[in-house]
Amino acid sequence: MFGISEEQLTEFGMTFGLGAFMLYMLFIIGELAWKSKAGKLGTFILFFVLSFGMLGFVAKFIIQKMWGI
């Protein structure tokens, strides 16, 4: 489709599509902290806990690029 293979489309979606979705989720976490008036510590805890799962995905991507998988 459009001159690209399924593998290229999947890699693009997993890299940029999920990356954009993760940035959107960070925006949602920030808005949640702002609307709940969480304060500095509460905002830090929200970002740390709710963003911890994203850290694993980013680490997996970096490890794959470093090892050439």
Side-chain angles (χ1 to χ4, degrees):
M1 179 169 72
F2 303 116
I4 60 173
S5 68
E6 181 182 354
E7 181 182 357
Q8 291 171 328
L9 181 65
T10 302
E11 185 175 344
F12 179 80
M14 288 297 290
T15 304
F16 295 106
L18 245 87
F21 183 65
M22 289 167 68
L23 288 175
Y24 182 64
M25 289 190 326
L26 288 175
F27 170 75
I28 291 171
I29 293 169
E31 187 175 347
L32 179 66
W34 180 71
K35 283 187 178 181
S36 67
K37 298 178 181 158
K40 289 181 182 179
L41 180 63
T43 301
F44 172 75
I45 291 172
L46 278 171
F47 273 102
F48 181 74
V49 171
L50 295 176
S51 302
F52 200 66
M54 290 184 244
L55 182 65
F57 182 80
V58 172
K60 176 186 161 251
F61 178 75
I62 292 171
I63 291 169
Q64 283 180 337
K65 290 299 178 185
M66 286 175 55
W67 288 355
I69 297 175

